[in-house]
Amino acid sequence: MPNIFQSMFLSGGRAKVWRIFSLVILLLIVGLLIVGGGYYNRGADWIASKTGQAVKLPTVKETPFRLGLDLLGGTQLIYQADVSAVPGKDQPSAVEGVRDVIERRVNVFGVAEPNVQTNLSAGKYYVMVELAGIKDTAQAIKMIGETPLLEFKEQNTEKRQLTAEEKKGMDAFNKSASKKAEEVLGKVLSNGDFAALANQYSDDPANVDSSGNKKGGELGWISEQDNPELFKLAQKVPVGKTSTELSKTSIGYQLIKNEEKRTKTDPFNNQPQMEVKASHLLICYKDVSGCESGLDKEAAKAKIEQLKSKANKDNFAQLVKENSTEPGARDRAGDLGWFGRGKMVKVFEDAAFSQKVGTIEGPIESEFGYHLIYKQAERKIDEYRIRNILIKTQSESDIVGDQSDWKNTELTGKYMKRASVEFDPNDNSPTVALEFDQQGGELFAAITKRNVGKRVAIFLDGLSISEPTVNEEITGGKAVISGKFDIKEAKLLSQRLNAGALPVPITLVNQQSVGATLGQQSVNASFRAGLIGFALVALFMILFYRFPGVLAVGALAIYSVLVLAIFKLWPVTVTLSGIAGFIMSIGMAVDANVLIFARLKEELAFGKPFGAALEEAFRRAWPSIRDSNASTLITCFILIQFSTSVVKGFAITLAIGVLVSMFTAIFITRNFLKLIPESWLEKRPWLVGVNKH
Amino acid sequence: MTNYNIIGKRGIWLWISGILFVVFGLALILWRFKFGIDFTGGSLLEVKFAKERPGVSEVQTALADDKSVGNLGSLIVQPVGNQDMIIRFQESSEEKHLAVVNSLTKLAQSKTKDNTVEELRFDSVGPSIGQELKQKSVNAIFFVLLAILFYISYAFRKVSKPIASWKYGMAALIALFHDAIITMGVFSVLGKFYGMEINTTFVAAILTVIGYSVHDTIVVFDRIRENLPKSHLDFEGTVNMSLNQTLVRSINTSLTVLLTLVAITVFGGASIRAFALALTIGIAIGTYSSIFVASPMLVVWEKWRQKKAH
């Protein structure tokens, strides 16, 4: 008789069975390493220490189970967001704003892997916050429930000034820097090797790579967005040449070598990236916040269609001035200047980029209303590959350090009514308008009055988001944050501010917390229940089905390892009910085996030879296994769709269990059975529980 | 092979099932459920006393007298194990929660000096969430039923003779209704007399019972489907033969599933005990119904059709 290894490489049915068997064993080993990686690693360490590091087994990655809060201990809070005051289409973004704010606050709280999700269910918005291992729930609730902090600050005039001595030191430093820069420029101009000079003189930290080697001043490709100061310098230097004069940037003297110029391309499709110059005409309608056109949606659409029929290149600017509902359209004629991808809302951008230069397209519907777009020009985006030499200069902050530029005022988000996106009448750039209540308006007036000509800053949760200069006292309780942002950023900011002012109040509707003790108890109890359940099933199977029962228990063990490995790899969040689902699936996994064995017994009782009976048993058991499991799977998938976390966990683990059990019963048990030589079994019919006549 | 005349005595089984169905159905209508806080809203606090555990009435009076706690709505205090205690109240705010814990700590320390109260679990649910959960559960059950009816009708599309494949689906549905109503009825009785509450996991349990009931019925029907074309017996005889052929398997499978469920019920910890109990009852009944209700229904249906034809 050939040994196992010979059998494996022989052709024919049994060789295939052995190959499948070794595949199953391989699968089992991989599964065991995933499930019990920690035990294996400790074993490997132990062997290494016992053998004096002579036998060193490779270690494996330890993947933990992802435990649910009921097992880990922790808190789940569910807030309902009251969006009744927000117009329908702004509701999702208002809730997202709430989510962002909560997430930032939770991060401040220092929770390991917090989980903050929004959820729309039966027309209501919920925000679910999961805090693993948090004991002080009350504190967490307090932090989350607080109104997000919007603060107005004025300049800190008590900042420390440089002493005369420090000033002298700084001047001396900058003077020597200037001298050094002149000297290096001289060397560059006398055709010195730019890379070598960069390595010798450059103070730029970017000239040193992560392993400490100097890079010869290489900075790579730079576009206007990446570094406007260096980009401007590069534009002045012809390709292949170096700077011929000293240029000063905010951090010091810069000498550059322009190595190459190219058009920026999209790394995914290698197409050149473009910028577009366009102007637009906007007709907003009633649902859009801040729209004063008074038109409903149909009327707005009709109006813009009618305008489009009249519009041409020559009268477009005039039409915009007369009709566009965009604030400031009269002055700027809807001009948007040059913009690249990602700067405008997507629908608008897609339309503007795809239309031909010189055409007027539309109407395009965005969240601001209907647009007509006149595309004036299109160009490629330039990039330069440059090297630089930086000779650093000192500024005040280098000496006295970062002092807080700002001090608090009384005005906070508490006094804000709402924020919305508007357009600056002068340059048509998007701005964020704030509206205060009565008291906030008075405070704001006082602040602007005492800070005319100076800057005030707007902080959201401790971060400065805008620092406008005050031109005059502002009464009437309205402020505008203008600045360097595009439509998208302006929207985000207003959304965050609105969350700060909480036009969407949140209420805690559901709170669950589980102490670490109870979590641990639950894990232990479930573990015990699982083991006992498994042992009972094994005992039953072996007593009733004898030899095939033993094989089925083997398959069941492999089944359990595989399912647990899937839980770890996917990863499935293991909750108490999830464990119940898994234990239950052990019982159901046996069902497939029972069906097959019951058939096997019958076929053998008919007097069929073992091999044929086995094939027949599997063939005939299959339809019932398929149909019966299908109904369980249907139930599981509907549960997953319609239920909340607890039930969902149960359904997910049960579904995984059912799917894997079909695989193990058909594939693994069958192969185990096929491995047994028929003649051996046929001589011992009691092993399969059949009394042959 | 033994051959029990199950179908011949179908009257007995159907009567037993009918009576159980009516009794527990009535219990369900009369007493409904004792809904847990998942559905009604409210709070559940589980605590562990390090030293001496105060009595139920002591806790009740202490909480009622404590002014900082105020009105809790309904209050239920229930000792668990040796040192734990579950306290339920209607109010679901964080302030009430803290006040109750403080009050309990004071009470514990008045009994034994270095006694402490460890909070094991706190659940609180707003009333609107509860309503929504009920609605969702009803939706889920409805869709499960519909999907199963469609699936069975599809799976049995090739055996339209002598009875149409959708009747297999209907018979399976009747059996699962029977299982679900009796299981729910048992919990209604348990709620009335033992204060057992149902929560969201109970819905999961009922849905699983439904899935399992069908799972079991399909195996029997599958045998009928297989035997019908080649059987020399009439429809009634074929069904009875099929039942006998699958009887051992049905009992064995259910027994193994029940073994694991009993293990969970006994060893699985308090929080899933009710869940496992519901599954245990439901699956036991589901096994019964797949043999003694679903298949006899097919025969009854067929007889009735024949009678009508004459």
Side-chain angles (χ1 to χ4, degrees), chain A residues 601-642:
Chain A
K601 264 188 174 180
E602 274 173 45
E603 300 297 332
L604 288 174
F606 286 141
K608 279 198 182 148
F610 185 77
L614 188 63
E615 282 306 315
E616 193 63 10
F618 274 97
R619 198 178 64 75
R620 289 178 171 232
W622 172 242
S624 16
I625 296 177
R626 179 195 60 205
D627 288 348
S628 58
N629 282 321
S631 70
T632 308
L633 284 176
I634 289 174
T635 314
C636 287
F637 289 126
I638 292 174
L639 280 182
I640 293 169
Q641 280 302 313
F642 281 89

Side-chain angles (χ1 to χ4, degrees), chain A residues 78 80 121-122 124 126 137-138 141 509-515 517-518 521-522 525-526 528-529 532-534 536-537 540-541 544-545 576-577 580 583-584 586-588 590-591 594-595 598-599 602 620 623-624 626-632 634-635 638-639 642-644 646-647 650 654, chain B residues 1 46 48 84 94 97-98 118-126 128-129 132-133 136 139-140 143-144 147-148 151 155-156 200-201 204 207-208 210-212 214-216 218-219 222-223 225-226 230 245 248-249 252-253 255-257 259-261 263-264 267-269 271-272 275 279 283:
Chain A
I78 299 177
Q80 187 180 338
S121 161
K124 291 183 194 138
Y126 296 100
T137 318
I141 291 174
V509 289
N510 193 340
Q511 176 192 352
Q512 288 184 17
S513 54
V514 170
T517 325
L518 188 67
Q521 274 172 13
S522 303
S526 325
R528 200 168 52 218
I532 293 173
F534 188 90
L536 286 174
V537 169
F540 175 81
M541 287 298 284
F544 203 90
Y545 290 103
L576 207 52
S577 57
I583 298 176
M584 167 121 180
I586 295 178
M588 298 189 87
V590 166
D591 183 47
V594 170
L595 277 168
R599 285 287 181 152
E602 274 173 45
R620 289 178 171 232
S624 16
R626 179 195 60 205
D627 288 348
S628 58
N629 282 321
S631 70
T632 308
I634 289 174
T635 314
I638 292 174
L639 280 182
F642 281 89
S643 309
T644 44
V646 186
V647 180
F650 174 79
L654 186 59
Chain B
M1 187 181 272
E46 188 173 346
K48 186 191 211 79
D84 300 359
E94 177 65 13
H97 165 216
L98 290 178
E118 186 194 353
E119 193 179 326
L120 295 178
R121 179 158 68 116
F122 178 69
D123 294 355
S124 101
V125 184
S128 65
I129 291 267
E132 198 185 319
L133 270 178
K136 265 189 172 176
N139 287 350
F143 280 107
V144 165
I148 283 173
Y151 183 78
F156 286 82
T200 356
T201 54
L207 284 166
T208 313
I210 289 173
Y212 186 85
V214 175
H215 172 120
D216 216 30
I218 284 181
V219 175
D222 175 66
R223 207 33 109 87
R225 162 172 75 181
E226 187 188 330
K230 57 186 184 191
Q245 285 170 347
V248 176
R249 170 265 151 205
N252 283 356
T253 297
L255 219 56
T256 49
V257 174
L259 282 176
T260 53
L261 283 174
I264 306 177
F267 301 100
S271 10
I272 47 172
F275 173 65
L279 283 177
I283 282 171

Side-chain angles (χ1 to χ4, degrees), chain A residues 97-302:
Chain A
V98 173
R99 197 201 78 89
D100 287 349
V101 174
I102 291 181
E103 183 154 44
R104 269 178 296 131
R105 314 199 139 182
V106 170
N107 283 333
V108 174
F109 205 57
V111 180
E113 293 185 45
N115 184 5
V116 186
Q117 297 174 327
T118 59
N119 195 354
L120 174 63
S121 161
K124 291 183 194 138
Y125 287 92
Y126 296 100
V127 181
M128 188 179 84
V129 186
E130 286 194 335
L131 309 165
I134 275 295
K135 268 191 143 178
D136 195 349
T137 318
Q139 174 67 12
I141 291 174
K142 190 164 163 269
M143 284 199 67
I144 291 169
E146 267 174 2
T147 312
L149 198 56
L150 177 71
E151 296 166 298
F152 286 77
K153 298 194 179 193
E154 51 196 345
Q155 278 180 322
N156 185 357
T157 45
E158 289 131 37
K159 262 175 78 175
R160 183 165 90 77
Q161 300 297 317
L162 286 187
T163 61
E165 203 168 317
E166 282 167 338
K167 182 95 172 59
K168 224 165 101 186
M170 187 175 87
D171 289 345
F173 183 94
N174 288 344
K175 210 163 174 187
S176 80
S178 154
K179 214 172 123 198
K180 186 175 157 198
E182 291 283 357
E183 200 181 302
V184 180
L185 177 65
K187 289 188 180 169
V188 168
L189 289 178
S190 57
N191 283 329
D193 177 2
F194 194 91
L197 287 170
N199 286 347
Q200 194 181 347
Y201 293 106
S202 181
D203 297 329
D204 196 335
N207 192 30
V208 183
D209 68 19
S210 56
S211 43
N213 299 319
K214 297 211 169 180
K215 304 197 301 191
E218 179 79 54
L219 285 180
W221 291 100
I222 282 177
S223 70
E224 189 161 8
Q225 269 198 332
D226 300 331
N227 191 332
E229 283 185 325
L230 281 176
F231 185 86
K232 280 221 178 72
L233 288 181
Q235 279 181 316
K236 286 189 218 150
V237 179
V239 173
K241 296 286 195 276
T242 56
S243 312
T244 49
E245 53 182 10
L246 277 185
S247 312
K248 199 160 179 290
T249 64
S250 51
I251 49 171
Y253 295 98
Q254 293 275 11
L255 293 171
I256 67 159
K257 183 175 184 202
N258 187 346
E259 297 262 5
E260 220 177 315
K261 182 183 174 181
R262 72 169 182 193
T263 304
K264 190 171 183 178
T265 56
D266 187 317
F268 295 106
N269 58 15
N270 285 324
Q271 296 294 312
Q273 291 193 358
M274 309 298 281
E275 284 179 308
V276 163
K277 188 173 184 328
S279 59
H280 76 137
L281 188 160
L282 174 73
I283 304 292
C284 68
Y285 46 85
K286 269 192 287 190
D287 300 347
V288 176
S289 65
C291 179
E292 284 159 11
S293 73
L295 298 171
D296 63 15
K297 205 170 165 183
E298 285 73 39
K301 179 133 194 225

Side-chain angles (χ1 to χ4, degrees), chain A residues 359-504:
Chain A
T359 60
I360 295 166
E361 294 278 346
I364 306 296
E365 191 188 349
S366 81
E367 58 244 66
F368 301 103
Y370 290 104
H371 305 261
L372 284 184
I373 306 172
Y374 170 36
K375 183 167 180 177
Q376 293 155 335
E378 185 172 50
R379 71 178 180 198
K380 292 167 177 169
I381 301 175
D382 290 336
E383 281 186 318
Y384 293 98
R385 190 161 66 83
I386 58 173
R387 292 172 188 272
N388 80 329
I389 299 174
L390 169 69
I391 309 295
K392 250 185 90 62
T393 53
Q394 275 185 347
S395 63
E396 277 187 29
S397 67
D398 289 327
I399 297 168
V400 295
D402 283 336
Q403 299 188 62
S404 172
D405 288 339
W406 306 103
K407 63 177 184 192
N408 290 336
T409 64
E410 271 178 81
L411 186 60
T412 64
K414 201 166 76 180
Y415 302 106
M416 208 181 88
K417 261 160 75 181
R418 79 171 78 78
S420 55
V421 177
E422 284 179 3
F423 293 88
D424 187 304
N426 300 316
D427 62 2
N428 207 25
S429 60
T431 62
V432 175
L434 306 178
E435 202 177 316
F436 298 108
D437 61 12
Q438 168 89 35
Q439 202 184 349
E442 283 161 19
L443 285 168
F444 188 60
I447 291 167
T448 46
K449 188 174 181 184
R450 63 174 180 260
N451 282 296
V452 171
K454 284 187 271 184
R455 286 184 301 156
V456 295
I458 301 165
F459 278 69
L460 188 64
D461 281 348
L463 292 172
S464 165
I465 50 172
S466 178
E467 296 171 9
T469 304
V470 178
N471 296 322
E472 61 200 349
E473 181 189 348
I474 302 169
T475 53
K478 278 194 171 185
V480 170
I481 310 172
S482 58
K484 314 154 281 279
F485 37 71
D486 51 51
I487 292 179
K488 256 190 183 170
E489 288 163 349
K491 269 195 66 181
L492 183 69
L493 179 56
S494 82
Q495 177 185 307
R496 286 174 60 188
L497 286 175
N498 279 329
L502 279 183
V504 180

Side-chain angles (χ1 to χ4, degrees), chain B residues 28 31-37 39-40 74 76 78 88 184 187-199 202:
Chain B
L28 197 58
W31 300 322
R32 301 293 181 87
F33 292 117
K34 196 165 163 50
F35 286 107
I37 60 163
F39 291 114
T40 58
S74 63
I76 298 166
Q78 182 188 354
R88 282 170 237 251
M184 292 196 287
F187 269 77
S188 160
V189 173
L190 288 175
K192 172 78 182 166
F193 295 104
Y194 298 95
M196 186 171 269
E197 293 182 351
I198 66 151
N199 51 24
F202 181 76

